[in-house]
Amino acid sequence: MSRIINSIRQLLVRINIKNKLQTFYYDCFKMPIRLMIYPIQGFDDFKREKQSKSYVSWFYLGMLILTQVIAYNANGFLLNKNDPNDFSILLIFALTVFPVFVFVVANWATTALMDGKGTMIEIFRGITYAFFPYVWLGLLATLISNFITLDEIIFFTFIQSLGIILAAYMLFFGMLGIHEYGLLKTIFMFIFTLVAIAVILFIILLFFSLFQQVWAFFKSIYDEFVMRFMIWTL
């Protein structure tokens, strides 16, 4: 009897793992491919039918970071001019994650003034789902870069460029569907988003400049106090 129960348990575990793998495959591969092939209908379902998943967004954000790390270290010697001693995972992380969140905030702030229907979460998901072609074509480009000759570098460039173009294509239709805009309004939305990004970066730089000045002011007071204290003790 115990053997039968154990067999049933093992079968249920296998079925559960199989179902999870099937769900993961659909969410992380079939759904992004559908969005890329049928962007208008796909992103309409993406928003209205709630078919986007947060874990997929974080997965592709993590994969984007991993793609940058692999490309930095594993691109073929004909293309890789990076110094391994200069490699910094924190710098790559910051240069990957920071632009994403700045774009999310700028796009949300812009579309809030343009009657956009997308929330910050939906904007974030739309951006990260658009990384799908760039991630996998980027990894493919890194792989073939180790087997190509100088005359075949054009294939590496083509694959990388294709990944960027498809990502931009998915991002455009993603924002169009999420905010429920028309074609012309979506174009203006991207222009105003770039302006908002410039404003945000200016404010951040201004903040750091102010912080640096305040820090220098208090540091000078501290140094003055320490010097006078040392003189008094002598």
Side-chain angles (χ1 to χ4, degrees), residues 14-31 55:
R14 289 176 183 174
I15 292 173
N16 188 35
I17 293 174
K18 183 180 179 181
N19 289 336
K20 287 183 177 180
L21 289 175
Q22 288 176 342
T23 302
F24 178 80
Y25 173 72
Y26 176 83
D27 290 340
C28 293
F29 294 93
K30 291 190 70 174
M31 183 61 184
Y55 84 90

Side-chain angles (χ1 to χ4, degrees), residues 9 57 68 81 91 94 175 193 210:
R9 286 178 178 174
S57 294
Q68 302 301 322
K81 308 301 181 183
L91 181 61
M175 295 300 104
T193 298
L210 180 62

Side-chain angles (χ1 to χ4, degrees), residues 54-111:
S54 291
Y55 84 90
V56 178
S57 294
W58 291 108
F59 171 75
Y60 274 110
L61 183 60
M63 284 299 298
L64 181 64
I65 297 169
L66 181 63
T67 301
Q68 302 301 322
V69 171
I70 293 175
Y72 188 98
N73 293 284
N75 272 344
F77 71 94
L78 292 175
L79 298 156
N80 197 342
K81 308 301 181 183
N82 300 317
D83 185 351
N85 296 321
D86 294 334
F87 173 74
S88 172
I89 185 73
L90 293 178
L91 181 61
I92 291 177
F93 178 86
L95 292 177
T96 304
V97 174
F98 179 73
V100 172
F101 285 98
V102 169
F103 185 93
V104 170
V105 173
N107 187 262
W108 175 81
T110 301
T111 54

Side-chain angles (χ1 to χ4, degrees), residues 219-232:
K219 188 175 184 301
S220 65
I221 293 176
Y222 173 77
D223 292 341
E224 182 70 19
F225 174 79
V226 171
M227 290 295 295
R228 289 183 179 275
F229 180 78
M230 291 177 62
I231 293 174
W232 291 339

Side-chain angles (χ1 to χ4, degrees), residues 176-188:
L176 184 149
I178 288 170
H179 295 297
E180 300 180 17
Y181 285 162
L183 184 64
L184 187 61
K185 196 170 184 179
T186 303
I187 294 173
F188 279 113

